[in-house]
Amino acid sequence: METQEIAAAARHFAAMARIVGPDPKAVKMRRHAFHLHLHQSGSTTLSASALLLPRGALAEPPPLLDRVCAAHGHVGDVALTAASLVEPFLVAEQRDDPGEEFKPRLVPEARIDVLVEHEELGNIQDGKSGKPPRWLSAQLLAMVDAPTAADSVLSLLKHDDSFIGRPSWDVGWSLADVNQKQVENDIRSSLKSNRNNASVEAMGTLMLAKSATRIAILGISTINSNNARRINVSEMHSRGDSLLVVGSPFGLLSPFHFFNSISVGAVANCLPPYSVRSSLLMADIHCLPGMEGAPVFDKNSCLVGLLMPPLRQKGSNIEVQLVIPWDAICTGWNNKKLEGIGGDPSELPDKNADTKTMELRRFVSSKVNKINQYCISPSSIREAISAVVLVTVGESSWASGIILNKRGLVLTNAHLLEPWRFGRTSPSGVQTSFAGEYLNARENKSLQPQQCKFSNEDAVKHEVSLFNLGFKREKRISVRLDHAERQMWCNACVAFISKGPLDVALLQMEKVPIELNTIRPEFVCPTAGSSVYVVGHGLFGPRSGLCSSLSSGVVSKVVQIPSTQLSGTVEADNMDMPVMLQTTAAVHPGASGGILVNPHGLMVGIITSNAKHGAGSTIPHLNFSIPCKSLETIFTYSEIGEPAILEQLDKLNEVLSSVWALAPSSSPFIDNPPEKTKEEKVLEFSKFLSDKQATLKSSTDLKELFKHKMPSKI
C-alpha cells in the first residue's frame, strides 16, 4: 500500500486525549514538555495521542477490555493512551503510589476529552478533509501495565545502571527537562513539591519501566458510523519493517495544525533478542512530544502497537522511540487481572481457547500478508544485518565491524584501536566518543567454533601490524556474532591498521564458526537522494545483549575528488572518485564500523563518524561513511590475502586528509578567492571605521552599543 493509503486508513483509529484539572501551584506539568496553564483559574491542560477502538473494530478484542467496560457500566467505544497523561491528576493516594488501577479516581473538577476524526473524513487523497474533528467527553476506566514490555525496558535500563551506579537513561522527552527546570524556577515549589521531585529522580528502574509502558483505558460515547471499520493486527516484526505513526505533537497548543499528523520510519530493533514474539520495538522514526499513545501501523495498515514515551539519554538530545506491540499488550492482560476486576471466574475465557484463538489469528494474518505480497523484511537486508558484528577492545570500549570473508576477516574503524590518530582523543587513553560502555569479562561466553583454516601468522604478515603502531598487546579484542538464535564470542587479533587518511582497520578472528555470513559490496557509488540503511551497535553495548540496530535515511551528499589525485596528478575537471558519503540516517556512538547498505542489501560504505556541535554533542542525522569504491583495495585483499596490496592505504594523501578533516577550501583543485594585499586590507579597515563613526553620533550611542552587545561564544 502507498503511504497515503495507509495514512487514510489509519486516521480512523487515531485520536487525541486531553485532561484539564486544578493545578494552583502549577506542578502537574512536570515531566511534560508542553502544556497550557491558566494562572487566573489555576488549571493545567495536558494532552497525548490515543488509539481509538470503536466497538467491533477488533476481531478478537482482549477480554480485559470487555471486563473493564462491564465493571464501569460502559457500553460505548474505548481509547487507549499513555498513562503518563492522567497520572498527575489522580487522587493523592493513587498518585503517590502509581501502579495498576482498575478503579482510578481523578481529583475533583478534572475532566478528560477525546478529539476524534469526523465519521465523514472525505477523500484525503483528493485534498478534501471532510468535516472538522469533534470533542467527546471521556471517562478514565483503568490504568493497566504491559509486563513483558516493562521487562524489556528494564533490561535496557538495568544493564546501564549496574555500570555507573545511577542510570544514564531516563524515560520521557528531552524537552521535558527544560520545562521542569523552568517550572521549578518560576513557581518556587514548596518543600513537599521538591521532595516529590527528588522521589522522581530516585525512582527505581523497575518503577520507571512500568511507568513507561502503562496504558490508560478511556471510555467514550459510541461514534455513530454507518460503515463499521475493522482493524487488522500485525503479528510479527523484524528490523527494517516499515512503520507509520498517526499522532498529535503539541496537539493541545493548536489541534487545527497538529491533530493526527503523520510520521514514517522503520523498526530499528526488537526485544527480547531472538524472540518470535517481540515485547518491545525500538523505532527509527521522528516523533515529537504529545505523540505518546499514538497508534503505529505497518505497510499494510495493520495495527502494530502503541507509541510510548521515549528512552532519553541524560545529558544529550538522544531519544530512542519505543513501541509496545499489540500482541504484548494482549499477552499482559491475562486472566489473573480479570479476576481482580470482578465477575464470576467461571465466565473467564479458557486459557487453551485463548491460545487457539491467537494461533488462528496469526494463521489468518499470515494468509493476509501473503495475499498482499508483504515481506516482513527483505532477505537481502537480513543477510546484510547478519554480517555486522560487535567488536570490543579491552573492558572499556566497543564498536561495530563487518565480516568480509568466510575466513573471519573483519573490517572496522582504526579509531577504535588508535583513537588519538584521528583527533578524537589523546594518546593518554581517554575513550573515544564512539566507545563508552564497560564490558564485564564474565559476559564473554566460551565458544566451540570450527578452527580457522589458516594461521594467525599469515594474517599479520603486513608490516603495518598491531604492535608497531603502539597498540597495547594486553588489550583483548573480542568479536560477537549474532547468528540464528544465539550469540557467539570469538577472540580476534589485528591484521592491519591503516596509516593513511582512511579510518579503517582489519581484524582476524582466531576461530571461525562453520556458518559465517559475509557482506556483499557495491562499488558503484550511490547518488544523492538514494535510500540507505545503517546497521550497527549504536548506544547499547555488550551488556544489553541487543543485536545490531537499523536506521534509515538517504544519501545527502557524495564528496568526490579527482581520481588522478590519488596517483599524484590533479585534473580539476575530473571529480569522479567518491571518498565520502553523508547520510541522514541516524548514527549513534557505537555504530562506528557498521555498514551502510542500499535497499538491495549491498554494502555501499562503512560508517566512520558523526558531525559534532561546538559544545561537543553529536548530530546523529549528519554522519560520514567511506564508500566501497574507496575500499576496493580492502575487498581485493579479503579475496586473495596478499598483504602487499594494503600498502596503498598507508600512503599519505593531503587532499584526502583535508576532506576527512572537514577542512574548508583546503583542496588544491578547488578555486579559492585571491588573497588581498596589505594595502587592500588597510583600506578596507579604514572604510569600516568610517562607516561606524557615521552611525555613532555621540558617546551615548557608543555606550548603548556596548550595553546591548552580546558576548561571542565562538
Side-chain angles (χ1 to χ4, degrees):
M1 296 178 65
E2 296 293 332
T3 302
Q4 299 92 323
E5 296 177 290
I6 303 171
R11 286 182 61 184
H12 293 287
F13 304 100
M16 184 182 82
R18 73 178 179 191
I19 185 168
V20 184
D23 187 18
K25 295 182 180 180
V27 295
K28 303 295 186 185
M29 73 280 286
R30 287 202 307 266
R31 299 179 69 84
H32 287 268
F34 291 90
H35 63 276
L36 291 177
H37 179 72
L38 301 178
H39 291 280
Q40 293 181 349
S41 62
S43 65
T44 292
T45 304
L46 305 175
S47 75
S49 303
L51 165 65
L52 179 64
L53 291 177
R55 295 189 71 86
L58 290 170
E60 294 290 339
L64 179 68
L65 282 180
D66 291 334
R67 185 58 60 86
V68 166
C69 291
H72 290 269
H74 178 70
V75 294
D77 301 333
V78 297
L80 308 183
T81 187
S84 57
L85 171 68
V86 298
E87 285 176 341
F89 290 97
L90 294 173
V91 294
E93 57 267 27
Q94 294 180 349
R95 185 174 65 250
D96 295 339
D97 186 21
E100 283 189 317
E101 293 289 348
F102 294 107
K103 294 183 180 180
R105 291 179 292 132
L106 298 175
V107 296
E109 300 181 17
R111 74 175 191 275
I112 304 175
D113 302 294
V114 174
L115 184 66
V116 300
E117 296 276 11
H118 199 279
E119 57 192 54
E120 298 178 11
L121 281 177
N123 192 334
I124 299 175
Q125 297 184 24
D126 292 341
K128 299 178 181 180
S129 58
K131 296 183 179 180
R134 51 180 175 151
W135 288 101
L136 300 175
S137 179
Q139 175 188 6
L140 178 59
L141 302 179
M143 296 194 306
V144 188
D145 289 339
T148 56
D151 290 342
S152 293
V153 174
L154 182 62
S155 69
L156 297 178
L157 297 174
K158 193 173 182 180
H159 90 273
D160 184 74
D161 188 20
S162 62
F163 164 46
I164 57 179
R166 58 175 300 184
S168 62
W169 290 91
D170 198 355
V171 175
W173 304 98
S174 56
L175 290 174
D177 260 2
V178 178
N179 174 60
Q180 184 170 342
K181 293 176 182 177
Q182 180 180 357
V183 170
E184 291 172 358
N185 292 333
D186 290 346
I187 66 176
R188 307 298 181 187
S189 302
S190 64
L191 181 60
K192 180 178 179 181
S193 175
N194 289 333
R195 284 198 299 266
N196 288 339
N197 277 335
S199 66
V200 170
E201 291 297 329
M203 181 186 298
T205 53
L206 178 59
M207 293 182 62
L208 194 63
K210 286 186 176 181
S211 177
T213 55
R214 188 167 296 132
I215 298 172
I217 303 176
L218 309 178
I220 60 176
S221 58
T222 301
I223 302 175
N224 295 322
S225 177
N226 296 328
N227 300 319
R229 293 180 174 84
R230 291 292 186 94
I231 183 171
N232 295 319
V233 177
S234 177
E235 295 294 341
M236 301 183 67
H237 320 95
S238 296
R239 285 172 289 180
D241 287 355
S242 299
L243 297 177
L244 182 144
V245 179
V246 187
S248 302
F250 328 122
L252 61 87
L253 299 184
S254 179
F256 176 77
H257 294 93
F258 304 114
F259 177 57
N260 279 359
S261 300
I262 305 298
S263 187
V264 296
V267 176
N269 218 324
C270 305
L271 285 84
Y274 307 112
S275 176
V276 176
R277 284 186 179 180
S278 299
S279 60
L280 188 71
L281 304 180
M282 295 166 57
D284 172 42
I285 193 166
H286 181 62
C287 295
L288 294 166
M291 294 184 70
E292 62 271 22
V296 182
F297 299 86
D298 66 12
K299 64 185 296 182
N300 279 339
S301 72
C302 295
L303 177 65
V304 173
L306 262 66
L307 184 77
M308 301 309 287
L311 276 183
R312 170 175 55 86
Q313 191 175 50
K314 295 180 179 178
S316 77
N317 58 353
I318 294 176
E319 292 177 347
V320 179
Q321 306 300 331
L322 303 178
V323 176
I324 305 180
W326 184 252
D327 184 60
I329 296 174
C330 295
T331 302
W333 295 354
N334 54 32
N335 290 339
K336 287 185 179 180
K337 292 174 182 174
L338 295 179
E339 295 172 0
I341 302 175
D344 185 357
S346 63
E347 297 176 1
L348 297 178
D350 179 66
K351 291 184 179 180
N352 294 330
D354 184 64
T355 301
K356 293 177 181 178
T357 300
M358 292 293 293
E359 292 176 352
L360 176 61
R361 191 170 64 187
R362 282 195 295 274
F363 173 78
V364 173
S365 178
S366 65
K367 291 298 182 183
V368 171
N369 288 340
K370 289 180 180 179
I371 292 174
N372 291 329
Q373 297 181 344
Y374 170 50
C375 181
I376 292 176
S377 182
S379 58
S380 56
I381 297 295
R382 291 201 299 268
E383 292 176 3
I385 290 174
S386 64
V388 177
V389 298
L390 176 70
V391 181
T392 63
V393 178
E395 296 183 344
S396 60
S397 56
W398 89 84
S400 306
I402 307 164
I403 301 176
L404 297 182
N405 60 29
K406 295 289 186 179
R407 299 186 299 275
L409 189 66
V410 176
L411 173 64
T412 188
N413 288 146
H415 75 249
L416 173 67
L417 306 172
E418 297 182 343
W420 56 89
R421 291 183 54 236
F422 294 88
R424 291 175 172 83
T425 63
S426 65
S428 60
V430 180
Q431 296 178 5
T432 98
S433 61
F434 290 95
E437 178 68 67
Y438 177 84
L439 174 65
N440 190 331
R442 290 177 298 179
E443 295 184 16
N444 285 6
K445 302 177 181 179
S446 60
L447 302 174
Q448 299 293 331
Q450 178 184 5
Q451 182 66 35
C452 185
K453 296 182 180 179
F454 54 89
S455 66
N456 292 334
E457 288 75 9
D458 292 334
V460 292
K461 280 183 178 178
H462 182 57
E463 62 178 358
V464 184
S465 64
L466 166 64
F467 308 113
N468 63 10
L469 287 176
F471 189 82
K472 295 182 179 180
R473 181 191 294 263
E474 63 269 18
K475 285 190 176 181
R476 179 180 179 181
I477 302 176
S478 299
V479 172
R480 194 193 75 190
L481 293 84
D482 300 333
H483 278 309
E485 298 180 357
R486 58 176 178 163
Q487 297 176 338
M488 298 181 293
W489 284 97
C490 298
N491 291 332
C493 60
V494 174
F496 170 76
I497 301 179
S498 172
K499 280 186 176 180
L502 294 183
D503 185 1
V504 292
L506 293 174
L507 304 176
Q508 178 59 56
M509 297 168 56
E510 295 179 357
K511 294 184 178 180
V512 183
I514 297 177
E515 295 183 3
L516 200 61
N517 294 325
T518 60
I519 196 65
R520 294 180 298 152
E522 172 57 81
F523 297 113
V524 177
C525 186
T527 58
S530 301
S531 297
V532 287
Y533 298 92
V534 166
V535 183
H537 290 272
L539 292 180
F540 299 98
R543 280 184 169 272
S544 67
L546 279 180
C547 299
S548 57
S549 295
L550 177 145
S551 62
S552 59
V554 298
V555 175
S556 55
K557 174 73 175 180
V558 180
V559 179
Q560 296 177 312
I561 65 173
S563 58
T564 51
Q565 177 62 25
L566 299 178
S567 59
T569 60
V570 178
E571 296 180 12
D573 296 332
N574 187 21
M575 305 277 287
D576 57 358
M577 183 63 184
V579 294
M580 174 189 282
L581 300 177
Q582 297 176 24
T583 82
T584 63
V587 170
H588 297 293
S592 291
I595 55 171
L596 186 70
V597 297
N598 61 21
H600 302 291
L602 301 178
M603 173 182 171
V604 296
I606 178 175
I607 305 299
T608 60
S609 58
N610 290 91
K612 283 188 176 182
H613 289 291
S617 59
T618 60
I619 307 174
H621 293 277
L622 177 56
N623 46 76
F624 310 102
S625 303
I626 304 174
C628 283
K629 183 66 175 177
S630 296
L631 299 173
E632 285 187 282
T633 301
I634 295 284
F635 286 97
T636 301
Y637 170 76
S638 72
E639 291 179 0
I640 65 177
E642 178 57 47
I645 298 175
L646 298 175
E647 293 178 1
Q648 180 69 28
L649 296 174
D650 287 337
K651 295 181 180 179
L652 300 180
N653 188 300
E654 183 180 349
V655 175
L656 199 55
S657 296
S658 67
V659 169
W660 281 100
L662 303 184
S665 303
S666 58
S667 299
F669 51 84
I670 297 179
D671 293 332
N672 292 321
E675 186 175 354
K676 296 180 180 179
T677 64
K678 182 176 180 181
E679 292 76 10
E680 289 175 327
K681 292 180 179 178
V682 171
L683 290 174
E684 186 175 292
F685 185 66
S686 299
K687 185 177 183 300
F688 169 77
L689 292 178
S690 176
D691 292 341
K692 286 299 179 184
Q693 288 177 354
T695 58
L696 301 176
K697 297 181 180 179
S698 66
S699 60
T700 304
D701 295 331
L702 187 61
K703 292 179 181 178
E704 192 68 18
L705 173 66
F706 285 98
K707 178 180 178 182
H708 295 287
K709 180 175 176 61
M710 298 297 293
S712 173
K713 295 183 178 180
I714 300 177

